[in-house]
Amino acid sequence: MISTKNIAFSYGKGTSFNFPDIVAQKGSTLLITGGSGKGKTTLLHLLGGLLKPQSGEINIDNTNIAAMPDGRLDNFRGKNIGFVLQQAYFVESLTVLENVVLASWLGTGRQATEKAKALLVQLGLQDQLNKLPSRLSIGQQQRVSIARALINDPKLLLADEPTSSLDDENALTVADMLDRLARQFGTALVIVTHDQRLKDRFLNQINLS
Amino acid sequence: MITKIAWKNIWFKPLNTLLSIILLTASVAIITLLILLQEQFEKKFNSNVEGIDLVMGAQGSPLQLILSAVYQVDAPTGNISYTEAKTWMDNPFVETAIPLAFGDNYNGFKIVGTTPAYLEHYGAKMAQGKIFRENFEVVVGSAVAEKMQLKIGDEFFGSHGDSAEGEVHDTHAYTVTGIAAKTGKVVDNLILCTIPSVWAIHDHGHDHEGENAHNHEHAEGEAHDHNHEAHAHEGSDAHDDHHNHAEAHTHDREHDHDHDHDHEAEISEAGKEITAVLLKMKNKPALLSWQYMIPMNTKMQAASPGKEINRLFSLFGIGLQALQYLAYGIMLISGISIFIALFNTLKERKYEFALLRVNGASRTELLSLVLIESLILCVTGFVFGTIVGRIGLVLISGSSEEEFKMSFNPFTFVWDKEGYLFLLTIAVGIIAALIPAIKAYSLNISKTLANA
Ligand SMILES: Nc1ncnc2c1ncn2[C@@H]1O[C@H](COP(=O)(O)OP(=O)(O)OP(=O)(O)O)[C@@H](O)[C@H]1O
Ligand SMILES: [Mg+2]
């Protein structure tokens, strides 16, 4: 689970944020909405340890990552936090399977090849395992990045605008998929989005304003 | 794993990679070749010159004298009178004196008249048979025996001069009585016999190889009269009348000996000529003084091999240096090419780097990823360059073997210099990758991902 307490962050002059406290339990989903420029991405990066808050606490399963030194944070992130980004990025020279295996190695030091295969198969990518990521459709790429985010059984899964580039039907499919996987993997899921279509899908919501 | 990603990454852009590797290979190959050539060249030159303090021969270029008498690569400066040389050879200052008389060749291998001391000097033991004793008995060097398939007891005829196409002296056959063991020095490529054998073949003291007008004058004597008569009835035809001092001396090294002078019987030393004498001095000060005394008092000169070879090396040095600069230039360019390749892809790859960080890679892992990519290129280039350089050496060795009977071994390693070259290559790789690597190291992941 994840919980925050009084996080404040500033990009320097002018743009500073005081975020409301959030909580997301193991296996449940929290939707964070808000208009453009309200700090959704900023908050997500704070939760994932890509940015450091000026004050406040970010507790992931009782570990305050706000107080963690950089090197350990990289480690912690690789092992315990999965990211699904708005745009899917890959190591272009590695195949789909290798990209997922790489994430397991970076996070845990082991190459979980079988598990990666199983996960990709579960997400309907059995025919794409040995292709280069650039050969996949946008939707397929997104599923690969979901598989990659889940490969280490993370405690926290963070998704930034996971549906904004998808059509209505696919947007809901992906939302369902994430919700289901979060439950299956027992991970806390935080989705930030301005996508109105998701507002009715999740009960647990916070609006940034 | 990082190395695997690096490996996959560099082959993801094969053209960039190939360009960098080709440039690196070229520069490493040239430098390796130069290192090996220089090393083996100097070793060969120095090992052959060991224990020879002075070379006495006809006046002319001292370097030419050394090259011809010690290394058997150039034409001799001329001939000297044996009797005159003898007075110096017998001087108490001299420890050993090895006379050399250049004679014919057999398929391009020189036949040199000398004494057994020559073999001894180069540490050439008899692999088979025994040292020449009688005239026309020869000891062949190991390389000659191998290439010409010569065995003890074989007979062959020499051709005149130093090219295989010279006129064949088919009156005297040489008999192989010994085959010398391999020494790695000039002896390996020589055929050695007694000095009188050379005289006997060549018209009794009229071996005119490399003769010039000067040394000829003092050599006139009884022997000329004989020759004069021999030539007289033939008039002035193709072969020059070398004793005709009044006329311009147009005759050259191809001076013909087209008529038989079958005087096997006795060969007196009077008026005979030899080509050079290798001297080892007991008295070191004499080493210097003789270099002045001999040319002043005789028609001969005494050249110091060490001095001449140093002169030669410094001449060579300029050419080698130019090549070396060229090679370092190419290495600089290959460094720049690696830098550009890494730097150019940095923009597209920053998302990849951010992603790796998101997945738990540390800053240092990104730094090492970039460095490893560059180092893989450099090590590959170095390995190829080392191999290509040696292939080049084999090719050069083939042609130098043909022309100078000097071959190079591609399988030797000059550890220190090639080690430095390796370190240099690695340094180029690190420097080229430094800026891209630091950029990867200090990448702001949050910003990179947010601005997508
Ligand atoms: N690196 C940065 N330096 C300075 N200001 C920044 C930086 N990144 C974002 N900001 C500012 O912080 C504010 C919040 O940005 P953020 O990306 O979190 O918004 P967002 O809610 O995700 O918007 P969107 O829905 O458009 O993605 C914006 O006003 C932006 O200008
Ligand atoms: Mg955003």
Side-chain angles (χ1 to χ4, degrees):
Chain A
M1 67 164 277
I2 176 164
S3 62
T4 66
K5 224 184 269 172
N6 303 325
I7 25 178
F9 180 79
S10 162
Y11 279 116
K13 267 182 263 158
T15 42
S16 47
F17 304 92
N18 285 296
F19 292 107
D21 293 351
I22 62 160
V23 180
Q25 298 294 337
K26 196 170 176 309
S28 72
T29 303
L30 171 68
L31 190 70
I32 298 175
T33 57
S36 183
K38 294 292 189 225
K40 300 184 298 294
T41 300
T42 307
L43 176 58
L44 194 86
H45 286 182
L46 285 165
L47 298 181
L50 302 180
L51 289 174
K52 286 221 159 176
Q54 268 151 352
S55 62
E57 282 179 26
I58 301 165
N59 291 304
I60 298 172
D61 274 16
N62 302 323
T63 313
N64 180 12
I65 64 166
M68 211 180 251
D70 279 355
R72 271 188 55 209
L73 185 56
D74 288 330
N75 242 326
F76 185 87
R77 179 170 53 236
K79 209 180 206 156
N80 300 303
I81 305 176
F83 279 85
V84 178
L85 301 165
Q86 182 173 359
Q87 203 177 327
Y89 298 114
F90 301 97
V91 178
E92 295 293 340
S93 61
L94 299 181
T95 65
V96 165
L97 180 62
E98 285 169 333
N99 264 284
V100 178
V101 172
L102 172 63
S104 78
W105 180 78
L106 286 171
T108 65
R110 281 185 306 277
Q111 303 189 25
T113 311
E114 288 313 312
K115 188 174 171 193
K117 270 187 198 159
L119 203 50
L120 286 165
V121 169
Q122 189 192 338
L123 292 175
L125 294 164
Q126 53 279 354
D127 298 330
Q128 326 295 333
L129 296 185
N130 297 314
K131 286 191 187 166
L132 290 178
S134 53
R135 300 270 187 282
L136 268 55
S137 73
I138 302 286
Q140 287 172 326
Q141 289 184 1
Q142 182 123 34
R143 275 182 279 156
V144 176
S145 61
I146 292 172
R148 184 177 56 196
L150 289 169
I151 186 72
N152 296 326
D153 294 320
K155 300 192 168 89
L156 174 64
L157 183 59
L158 299 171
D160 190 1
E161 314 276 12
T163 56
S164 57
S165 56
L166 303 174
D167 58 38
D168 289 356
E169 195 186 332
N170 275 310
L172 282 177
T173 314
V174 168
D176 285 341
M177 188 196 298
L178 284 171
D179 194 39
R180 187 161 30 85
L181 287 167
R183 222 163 295 150
Q184 181 193 335
F185 282 79
T187 176
L189 171 61
V190 176
I191 301 176
V192 303
T193 189
H194 64 255
D195 191 344
Q196 298 299 324
R197 296 170 296 185
L198 297 184
K199 285 198 171 143
D200 308 326
R201 174 65 187 73
F202 297 100
L203 298 171
N204 215 353
Q205 289 190 15
I206 285 183
N207 189 40
L208 298 181
S209 54
Chain B
M1 194 75 186
I2 291 281
T3 313
K4 183 183 167 187
I5 304 173
W7 179 254
K8 293 250 178 170
N9 271 337
I10 62 173
W11 291 112
F12 197 63
K13 296 249 154 101
L15 280 182
N16 281 344
T17 302
L18 230 54
L19 175 68
S20 304
I21 289 185
I22 286 172
L23 286 171
L24 275 166
T25 301
S27 59
V28 172
I30 294 175
I31 299 174
T32 304
L33 182 62
L34 291 179
I35 288 175
L36 291 178
L37 265 182
Q38 199 169 11
E39 176 84 8
Q40 298 196 18
F41 206 66
E42 283 186 17
K43 208 177 257 170
K44 278 223 154 76
F45 265 82
N46 289 332
S47 73
N48 279 317
V49 90
E50 247 163 55
I52 302 175
D53 294 328
L54 283 176
V55 177
M56 196 159 68
Q59 287 186 355
S61 150
L63 181 57
Q64 188 188 348
L65 175 62
I66 302 294
L67 287 176
S68 69
V70 180
Y71 302 105
Q72 315 284 343
V73 286
D74 205 349
T77 44
N79 288 327
I80 54 175
S81 151
Y82 185 58
T83 35
E84 189 173 23
K86 195 100 174 119
T87 60
W88 294 89
M89 288 161 67
D90 294 340
N91 190 296
F93 288 163
V94 173
E95 190 175 321
T96 43
I98 305 169
L100 297 175
F102 289 1
D104 297 340
N105 77 86
Y106 173 56
N107 283 330
F109 290 103
K110 282 195 176 136
I111 302 173
V112 177
T114 183
T115 59
Y118 188 74
L119 282 161
E120 220 167 277
H121 172 80
Y122 285 113
K125 302 230 161 51
M126 287 296 110
Q128 292 172 45
K130 56 183 181 54
I131 289 183
F132 51 84
R133 204 180 296 119
E134 302 298 321
N135 287 349
F136 304 112
E137 290 184 352
V138 296
V139 166
V140 296
S142 61
V144 184
E146 195 187 311
K147 273 170 213 156
M148 294 287 108
Q149 298 285 320
L150 288 173
K151 301 180 301 293
I152 303 286
D154 282 356
E155 297 196 350
F156 60 86
F157 293 105
S159 338
H160 183 70
D162 48 16
S163 73
E165 292 80 38
E167 179 208 357
V168 176
H169 284 148
D170 53 4
T171 47
H172 294 294
Y174 296 97
T175 310
V176 178
T177 60
I179 294 172
K182 191 170 163 57
T183 59
K185 298 176 188 171
V186 277
V187 205
D188 292 357
N189 287 297
L190 292 180
I191 300 172
L192 303 170
C193 61
T194 63
I195 289 181
S197 318
V198 175
W199 288 336
I201 293 264
H202 287 101
D203 196 11
H204 303 266
H206 289 274
D207 176 20
H208 289 289
E209 289 209 35
E211 174 177 350
N212 60 36
H214 278 299
N215 70 27
H216 188 73
E217 277 166 346
H218 76 266
E220 65 180 320
E222 318 89 309
H224 283 286
D225 296 330
H226 159 82
N227 200 3
H228 189 55
E229 282 154 25
H231 283 96
H233 58 90
E234 303 203 23
S236 53
D237 58 11
H239 71 274
D240 295 292
D241 209 351
H242 62 274
H243 53 277
N244 194 352
H245 302 302
E247 285 169 26
H249 271 264
T250 52
H251 64 279
D252 53 44
R253 281 168 208 147
E254 276 101 56
H255 180 80
D256 275 348
H257 297 269
D258 54 347
H259 37 261
D260 294 340
H261 296 282
D262 209 352
H263 294 263
E264 276 183 14
E266 241 129 273
I267 302 149
S268 89
E269 288 179 4
K272 296 298 186 297
E273 292 184 324
I274 58 172
T275 317
V277 183
L278 310 179
L279 294 173
K280 185 173 169 63
M281 307 298 287
K282 261 187 216 145
N283 178 307
K284 297 300 167 187
L287 202 158
L288 269 181
S289 58
W290 279 29
Q291 290 178 52
Y292 301 103
M293 276 165 61
I294 291 182
M296 263 182 349
N297 299 315
T298 70
K299 299 282 182 193
M300 302 185 292
Q301 65 164 328
S304 153
K307 200 166 89 188
E308 296 307 320
I309 290 316
N310 276 342
R311 222 155 55 88
L312 181 70
F313 283 163
S314 59
L315 276 174
F316 264 129
I318 298 168
L320 289 180
Q321 203 124 48
L323 264 176
Q324 221 152 1
Y325 287 144
L326 175 76
Y328 287 123
I330 300 175
M331 184 165 284
L332 183 71
I333 294 171
S334 52
I336 294 173
S337 117
I338 294 176
F339 170 76
I340 290 175
L342 287 174
F343 199 83
N344 266 346
T345 54
L346 214 56
K347 213 180 206 159
E348 14 181 314
R349 288 185 66 190
K350 78 179 180 193
Y351 300 110
E352 175 183 325
F353 291 147
L355 173 88
L356 288 169
R357 291 291 308 282
V358 164
N359 282 335
S362 63
R363 291 177 182 279
T364 8
E365 278 172 312
L366 292 196
L367 184 87
S368 53
L369 175 63
V370 177
L371 284 179
I372 288 171
E373 283 180 22
S374 171
L375 289 181
I376 288 177
L377 295 180
C378 290
V379 172
T380 313
F382 180 82
V383 171
F384 283 163
T386 307
I387 294 169
V388 171
R390 285 182 161 74
I391 292 173
L393 189 70
V394 172
L395 297 181
I396 289 183
S397 180
S399 64
S400 74
E401 169 88 63
E402 237 167 60
E403 256 181 82
F404 304 116
K405 302 275 174 288
M406 186 183 257
S407 62
F408 300 98
N409 180 2
F411 297 108
T412 51
F413 288 85
V414 186
W415 292 109
D416 52 341
K417 285 188 189 167
E418 289 186 77
Y420 283 134
L421 181 59
F422 181 69
L423 293 182
L424 180 73
T425 318
I426 297 295
V428 166
I430 291 175
I431 292 169
L434 207 55
I435 293 175
I438 289 174
K439 286 214 156 191
Y441 180 87
S442 53
L443 180 75
N444 182 337
I445 351 168
S446 168
K447 199 169 168 182
T448 307
L449 293 175
N451 293 350

